[in-house]
Short mmCIF file of all heavy atoms in Angstrom, two decimals:
data_model
loop_
_atom_site.label_atom_id
_atom_site.label_comp_id
_atom_site.label_asym_id
_atom_site.label_seq_id
_atom_site.Cartn_x
_atom_site.Cartn_y
_atom_site.Cartn_z
N PRO A 164 -38.42 -45.89 2.36
CA PRO A 164 -38.89 -44.88 1.38
C PRO A 164 -38.07 -43.62 1.43
O PRO A 164 -38.01 -42.85 0.51
CB PRO A 164 -40.32 -44.67 1.76
CG PRO A 164 -40.43 -45.09 3.18
CD PRO A 164 -39.46 -46.24 3.33
N ILE A 206 -19.66 -16.85 -3.30
CA ILE A 206 -19.60 -18.28 -3.35
C ILE A 206 -20.59 -18.90 -2.38
O ILE A 206 -21.29 -19.87 -2.67
CB ILE A 206 -18.17 -18.80 -3.09
CG1 ILE A 206 -17.25 -18.38 -4.26
CG2 ILE A 206 -18.12 -20.33 -3.00
CD1 ILE A 206 -15.82 -18.59 -4.00
N VAL A 226 -43.63 -26.50 -1.96
CA VAL A 226 -43.43 -25.06 -1.77
C VAL A 226 -42.87 -24.40 -3.02
O VAL A 226 -42.78 -23.14 -3.08
CB VAL A 226 -42.52 -24.82 -0.56
CG1 VAL A 226 -43.06 -25.43 0.69
CG2 VAL A 226 -41.08 -25.27 -0.83
N PHE A 238 -27.68 -30.68 -6.03
CA PHE A 238 -26.72 -30.93 -4.97
C PHE A 238 -25.27 -30.95 -5.54
O PHE A 238 -24.34 -30.40 -4.98
CB PHE A 238 -27.03 -32.25 -4.29
CG PHE A 238 -28.13 -32.21 -3.31
CD1 PHE A 238 -29.26 -32.94 -3.52
CD2 PHE A 238 -28.07 -31.41 -2.20
CE1 PHE A 238 -30.33 -32.91 -2.60
CE2 PHE A 238 -29.04 -31.33 -1.29
CZ PHE A 238 -30.23 -32.10 -1.47
N VAL A 393 -18.71 -5.94 -7.59
CA VAL A 393 -19.40 -6.98 -6.83
C VAL A 393 -20.84 -6.64 -6.61
O VAL A 393 -21.74 -7.41 -6.90
CB VAL A 393 -18.67 -7.26 -5.50
CG1 VAL A 393 -19.49 -8.28 -4.68
CG2 VAL A 393 -17.28 -7.80 -5.75
N ALA A 448 14.80 -9.18 -4.84
CA ALA A 448 15.48 -9.36 -3.54
C ALA A 448 16.51 -10.49 -3.62
O ALA A 448 17.61 -10.40 -3.10
CB ALA A 448 14.48 -9.60 -2.46
N ASN A 767 0.79 -17.16 -14.50
CA ASN A 767 1.39 -16.16 -15.38
C ASN A 767 2.38 -15.29 -14.57
O ASN A 767 3.50 -14.94 -15.04
CB ASN A 767 0.34 -15.25 -16.02
CG ASN A 767 0.92 -14.31 -17.03
OD1 ASN A 767 1.70 -14.68 -17.88
ND2 ASN A 767 0.53 -13.03 -16.94
#
Side-chain angles (χ1 to χ4, degrees):
I206 294 171
V226 303
F238 283 118
V393 177
N767 187 46

